[in-house]
PDB file of all heavy atoms in Angstrom:
ATOM      1  N   GLU A1222       1.189   2.706   0.786  1.00  0.00           N
ATOM      2  CA  GLU A1222       1.130   1.927   2.024  1.00  0.00           C
ATOM      3  C   GLU A1222       2.191   0.823   1.991  1.00  0.00           C
ATOM      4  O   GLU A1222       2.541   0.321   0.915  1.00  0.00           O
ATOM      5  CB  GLU A1222      -0.264   1.320   2.168  1.00  0.00           C
ATOM      6  CG  GLU A1222      -0.466   0.548   3.452  1.00  0.00           C
ATOM      7  CD  GLU A1222      -1.864  -0.037   3.529  1.00  0.00           C
ATOM      8  OE1 GLU A1222      -2.322  -0.621   2.510  1.00  0.00           O
ATOM      9  OE2 GLU A1222      -2.482   0.072   4.581  1.00  0.00           O
ATOM     10  N   VAL A1223       2.667   0.451   3.155  1.00  0.00           N
ATOM     11  CA  VAL A1223       3.684  -0.602   3.252  1.00  0.00           C
ATOM     12  C   VAL A1223       3.080  -1.827   3.935  1.00  0.00           C
ATOM     13  O   VAL A1223       2.451  -1.729   4.999  1.00  0.00           O
ATOM     14  CB  VAL A1223       4.930  -0.117   4.026  1.00  0.00           C
ATOM     15  CG1 VAL A1223       5.889  -1.274   4.274  1.00  0.00           C
ATOM     16  CG2 VAL A1223       5.634   0.985   3.261  1.00  0.00           C
ATOM     17  N   ILE A1224       3.264  -2.972   3.308  1.00  0.00           N
ATOM     18  CA  ILE A1224       2.839  -4.267   3.845  1.00  0.00           C
ATOM     19  C   ILE A1224       4.078  -5.021   4.314  1.00  0.00           C
ATOM     20  O   ILE A1224       5.118  -4.965   3.654  1.00  0.00           O
ATOM     21  CB  ILE A1224       2.126  -5.104   2.756  1.00  0.00           C
ATOM     22  CG1 ILE A1224       0.952  -4.329   2.164  1.00  0.00           C
ATOM     23  CG2 ILE A1224       1.684  -6.441   3.312  1.00  0.00           C
ATOM     24  CD1 ILE A1224      -0.181  -4.102   3.106  1.00  0.00           C
ATOM     25  N   SER A1225       3.989  -5.713   5.434  1.00  0.00           N
ATOM     26  CA  SER A1225       5.146  -6.500   5.874  1.00  0.00           C
ATOM     27  C   SER A1225       4.712  -7.701   6.696  1.00  0.00           C
ATOM     28  O   SER A1225       3.578  -7.769   7.173  1.00  0.00           O
ATOM     29  CB  SER A1225       6.120  -5.646   6.697  1.00  0.00           C
ATOM     30  OG  SER A1225       5.682  -5.540   8.026  1.00  0.00           O
ATOM     31  N   HIS A1226       5.629  -8.658   6.845  1.00  0.00           N
ATOM     32  CA  HIS A1226       5.400  -9.770   7.740  1.00  0.00           C
ATOM     33  C   HIS A1226       5.362  -9.240   9.187  1.00  0.00           C
ATOM     34  O   HIS A1226       6.032  -8.239   9.506  1.00  0.00           O
ATOM     35  CB  HIS A1226       6.541 -10.790   7.636  1.00  0.00           C
ATOM     36  CG  HIS A1226       6.621 -11.475   6.305  1.00  0.00           C
ATOM     37  ND1 HIS A1226       7.235 -10.889   5.195  1.00  0.00           N
ATOM     38  CD2 HIS A1226       6.161 -12.675   5.893  1.00  0.00           C
ATOM     39  CE1 HIS A1226       7.160 -11.709   4.180  1.00  0.00           C
ATOM     40  NE2 HIS A1226       6.533 -12.797   4.554  1.00  0.00           N
ATOM     41  N   GLN A1227       4.603  -9.913  10.040  1.00  0.00           N
ATOM     42  CA  GLN A1227       4.585  -9.626  11.473  1.00  0.00           C
ATOM     43  C   GLN A1227       4.788 -10.943  12.209  1.00  0.00           C
ATOM     44  O   GLN A1227       4.399 -11.997  11.713  1.00  0.00           O
ATOM     45  CB  GLN A1227       3.280  -8.942  11.884  1.00  0.00           C
ATOM     46  CG  GLN A1227       3.105  -7.584  11.201  1.00  0.00           C
ATOM     47  CD  GLN A1227       1.859  -6.848  11.637  1.00  0.00           C
ATOM     48  OE1 GLN A1227       1.131  -7.298  12.534  1.00  0.00           O
ATOM     49  NE2 GLN A1227       1.592  -5.715  11.023  1.00  0.00           N
ATOM     50  N   TYR A1228       5.360 -10.883  13.415  1.00  0.00           N
ATOM     51  CA  TYR A1228       5.863 -12.088  14.067  1.00  0.00           C
ATOM     52  C   TYR A1228       5.418 -12.174  15.521  1.00  0.00           C
ATOM     53  O   TYR A1228       5.065 -11.183  16.162  1.00  0.00           O
ATOM     54  CB  TYR A1228       7.402 -12.080  14.036  1.00  0.00           C
ATOM     55  CG  TYR A1228       7.993 -11.889  12.658  1.00  0.00           C
ATOM     56  CD1 TYR A1228       8.123 -10.613  12.124  1.00  0.00           C
ATOM     57  CD2 TYR A1228       8.410 -12.982  11.904  1.00  0.00           C
ATOM     58  CE1 TYR A1228       8.660 -10.423  10.849  1.00  0.00           C
ATOM     59  CE2 TYR A1228       8.958 -12.794  10.645  1.00  0.00           C
ATOM     60  CZ  TYR A1228       9.063 -11.507  10.124  1.00  0.00           C
ATOM     61  OH  TYR A1228       9.590 -11.328   8.866  1.00  0.00           O
ATOM     62  N   LYS A1229       5.494 -13.422  16.032  1.00  0.00           N
ATOM     63  CA  LYS A1229       5.389 -13.647  17.461  1.00  0.00           C
ATOM     64  C   LYS A1229       6.681 -14.270  17.945  1.00  0.00           C
ATOM     65  O   LYS A1229       7.259 -15.134  17.273  1.00  0.00           O
ATOM     66  CB  LYS A1229       4.193 -14.539  17.801  1.00  0.00           C
ATOM     67  CG  LYS A1229       2.858 -13.802  17.768  1.00  0.00           C
ATOM     68  CD  LYS A1229       1.752 -14.623  18.398  1.00  0.00           C
ATOM     69  CE  LYS A1229       0.464 -13.812  18.478  1.00  0.00           C
ATOM     70  NZ  LYS A1229      -0.623 -14.563  19.135  1.00  0.00           N
ATOM     71  N   MET A1230       7.134 -13.800  19.112  1.00  0.00           N
ATOM     72  CA  MET A1230       8.373 -14.301  19.704  1.00  0.00           C
ATOM     73  C   MET A1230       8.043 -14.918  21.063  1.00  0.00           C
ATOM     74  O   MET A1230       7.310 -14.332  21.862  1.00  0.00           O
ATOM     75  CB  MET A1230       9.370 -13.135  19.881  1.00  0.00           C
ATOM     76  CG  MET A1230      10.644 -13.515  20.614  1.00  0.00           C
ATOM     77  SD  MET A1230      11.804 -12.109  20.775  1.00  0.00           S
ATOM     78  CE  MET A1230      10.925 -11.042  21.952  1.00  0.00           C
ATOM     79  N   HIS A1231       8.616 -16.102  21.312  1.00  0.00           N
ATOM     80  CA  HIS A1231       8.412 -16.758  22.606  1.00  0.00           C
ATOM     81  C   HIS A1231       9.727 -16.768  23.380  1.00  0.00           C
ATOM     82  O   HIS A1231      10.755 -17.239  22.881  1.00  0.00           O
ATOM     83  CB  HIS A1231       7.932 -18.193  22.411  1.00  0.00           C
ATOM     84  CG  HIS A1231       7.787 -18.952  23.704  1.00  0.00           C
ATOM     85  ND1 HIS A1231       8.420 -20.150  23.955  1.00  0.00           N
ATOM     86  CD2 HIS A1231       7.102 -18.645  24.826  1.00  0.00           C
ATOM     87  CE1 HIS A1231       8.117 -20.558  25.167  1.00  0.00           C
ATOM     88  NE2 HIS A1231       7.328 -19.668  25.736  1.00  0.00           N
ATOM     89  N   ILE A1232       9.674 -16.222  24.602  1.00  0.00           N
ATOM     90  CA  ILE A1232      10.824 -16.235  25.505  1.00  0.00           C
ATOM     91  C   ILE A1232      10.454 -17.119  26.696  1.00  0.00           C
ATOM     92  O   ILE A1232       9.566 -16.756  27.496  1.00  0.00           O
ATOM     93  CB  ILE A1232      11.173 -14.818  25.976  1.00  0.00           C
ATOM     94  CG1 ILE A1232      11.454 -13.890  24.791  1.00  0.00           C
ATOM     95  CG2 ILE A1232      12.383 -14.849  26.921  1.00  0.00           C
ATOM     96  CD1 ILE A1232      12.614 -14.292  23.938  1.00  0.00           C
ATOM     97  N   PRO A1233      11.069 -18.297  26.871  1.00  0.00           N
ATOM     98  CA  PRO A1233      10.661 -19.232  27.939  1.00  0.00           C
ATOM     99  C   PRO A1233      11.036 -18.781  29.355  1.00  0.00           C
ATOM    100  O   PRO A1233      10.387 -19.202  30.315  1.00  0.00           O
ATOM    101  CB  PRO A1233      11.371 -20.535  27.560  1.00  0.00           C
ATOM    102  CG  PRO A1233      12.516 -20.118  26.696  1.00  0.00           C
ATOM    103  CD  PRO A1233      12.072 -18.886  25.966  1.00  0.00           C
TER     104      PRO A1233
END
Side-chain angles (χ1 to χ4, degrees):
E1222 183 181 46
V1223 173
I1224 304 292
S1225 81
H1226 295 81
Q1227 297 183 5
Y1228 307 82
K1229 282 193 174 182
M1230 174 179 70
H1231 176 235
I1232 303 298

